[in-house]
Amino acid sequence: RYGPNVPNMMIQSLVRIWQDLREAHEKGVMAYPFSVREAVSVVRHLNEFPSDGIEGAVENVIAFDRLDTVVLKQLAKVFAHHGVPVSTNAKSDRTPREAIEGGISTPRTRASKPKHGKIDEKNDPHVGGNTWAGGSGGSDTAGLGGGGGPYKQDS
């Protein structure tokens, strides 16, 4: 189970949201087929950072979609239907955790080349670093939610 500390009602709500997102894709309303991997990412985020709430966990998945106002409005409509507010501002209203906790994040802005990344035989969770396959995903490494990378991967 990806989110042992996440209430079952919240997981069921996410399942219904992702069903609606899938239907919107099948009807041609949305070009991107939001999949289980994004829903799992939200559940994992909620499990690891419960104080972020569902809005913060969802933001982690849809941040890239803020660049397209049409898609963002469609997403906001689906999430609002299930009681989850999503701002339609081009920039998130949420303060990044790094700013709150005083951490510094310096993402790579230019990918050298796509890569699979190293395999961790222990399958420990990895966030950042642009090194491991199946971690949070980096600018050019496969992972769950990276803005880049050649493909998504859950290890």
Side-chain angles (χ1 to χ4, degrees):
R1 188 158 162 192
Y2 291 109
N5 299 320
V6 179
N8 194 45
M9 282 182 53
M10 190 173 290
I11 291 173
Q12 292 304 315
S13 178
L14 290 167
V15 167
R16 288 189 295 275
I17 290 169
W18 256 257
Q19 286 172 334
D20 286 357
L21 290 172
R22 174 63 64 177
E23 286 176 19
H25 171 70
E26 289 172 356
K27 291 177 182 176
V29 174
M30 298 191 74
Y32 180 74
F34 283 87
S35 69
V36 173
R37 107 179 100 241
E38 285 97 352
V40 168
S41 178
V42 171
V43 172
R44 283 181 163 176
H45 187 107
L46 284 166
N47 193 64
E48 189 71 25
F49 308 103
S51 64
D52 283 0
I54 195 167
E55 297 89 355
V58 165
E59 178 60 37
N60 194 41
V61 169
I62 68 165
F64 181 76
D65 297 301
R66 292 201 169 281
L67 301 174
D68 186 332
T69 56
V70 173
V71 172
L72 183 57
K73 286 178 183 177
Q74 292 167 338
L75 286 171
K77 184 177 178 181
V78 170
F79 282 95
H81 177 74
H82 294 278
V84 178
V86 170
S87 171
T88 55
N89 293 333
K91 204 171 181 186
S92 173
D93 297 334
R94 297 187 57 83
T95 304
R97 181 183 350 284
E98 291 84 11
I100 294 170
E101 295 176 1
I104 297 173
S105 175
T106 310
R108 291 180 58 180
T109 55
R110 302 230 184 258
S112 57
K113 64 179 180 175
K115 65 183 179 191
H116 178 75
K118 294 180 184 177
I119 303 292
D120 180 1
E121 299 298 327
K122 297 181 202 168
N123 202 24
D124 289 334
H126 294 281
V127 178
N130 204 33
T131 302
W132 301 98
S136 62
S139 57
D140 59 1
T141 307
L144 275 176
Y151 49 88
K152 298 212 183 241
Q153 177 186 353
D154 177 10
S155 289

